[in-house]
Amino acid sequence: LKIVEKDGNYAYSNVITVSPADIAGRVTIFPNPVTDKANVIMSAIVDGKAQWKLLDNAGRTVLQSTTQLKKGRNSLVININKLSAGIYYLSVSGAGIDQKIKVQKL
């Protein structure tokens, strides 16, 4: 950032590097479509608890839990082998994460 004074003098501000992972947490799920176990990777920007919910296509909660996350990369396995085939949505919130992902169960 260049700051210009009325008299024409100028100065530059300090350079600060910001990565997308620092701005907001991310959630990824694989494999997708899922047959029995979903591997969930959560990139938390702070230590803290996160709540996850698996919602069916009608918006009903079919599975849910709370997990403790550390700043950085965290992994979780969700066993969905007893659920019917169809479309679900994984919603994760907390520890700097607020994301919803579409998941297909085969």
Side-chain angles (χ1 to χ4, degrees), residues 27-29 32 54 88-92 99-103:
V27 178
T28 56
I29 187 167
N32 195 4
L54 193 64
Y88 295 87
Y89 297 90
L90 177 65
S91 176
V92 181
Q99 192 171 347
K100 193 179 218 182
I101 299 174
K102 185 177 179 180
V103 180

Side-chain angles (χ1 to χ4, degrees), residues 6-100:
K6 287 182 182 180
D7 63 6
N9 289 326
Y10 62 89
Y12 292 99
S13 66
N14 293 333
V15 175
I16 299 172
T17 303
V18 179
S19 70
D22 294 334
I23 297 169
R26 283 193 355 212
V27 178
T28 56
I29 187 167
F30 66 92
N32 195 4
V34 180
T35 53
D36 54 327
K37 292 183 181 178
N39 298 291
V40 182
I41 305 297
M42 296 172 277
S43 298
I45 59 172
V46 295
D47 290 350
K49 287 186 179 180
Q51 181 181 29
W52 63 265
K53 293 180 183 182
L54 193 64
L55 309 168
D56 66 12
N57 214 17
R60 295 178 297 242
T61 301
V62 294
L63 294 173
Q64 68 179 0
S65 186
T66 302
T67 187
Q68 185 67 38
L69 301 179
K70 300 270 187 205
K71 181 179 179 179
R73 187 176 190 265
N74 298 267
S75 61
L76 170 72
V77 176
I78 301 174
N79 189 345
I80 63 170
N81 65 347
K82 294 183 180 179
L83 297 178
S84 301
I87 301 296
Y88 295 87
Y89 297 90
L90 177 65
S91 176
V92 181
S93 61
I97 300 171
D98 187 13
Q99 192 171 347
K100 193 179 218 182

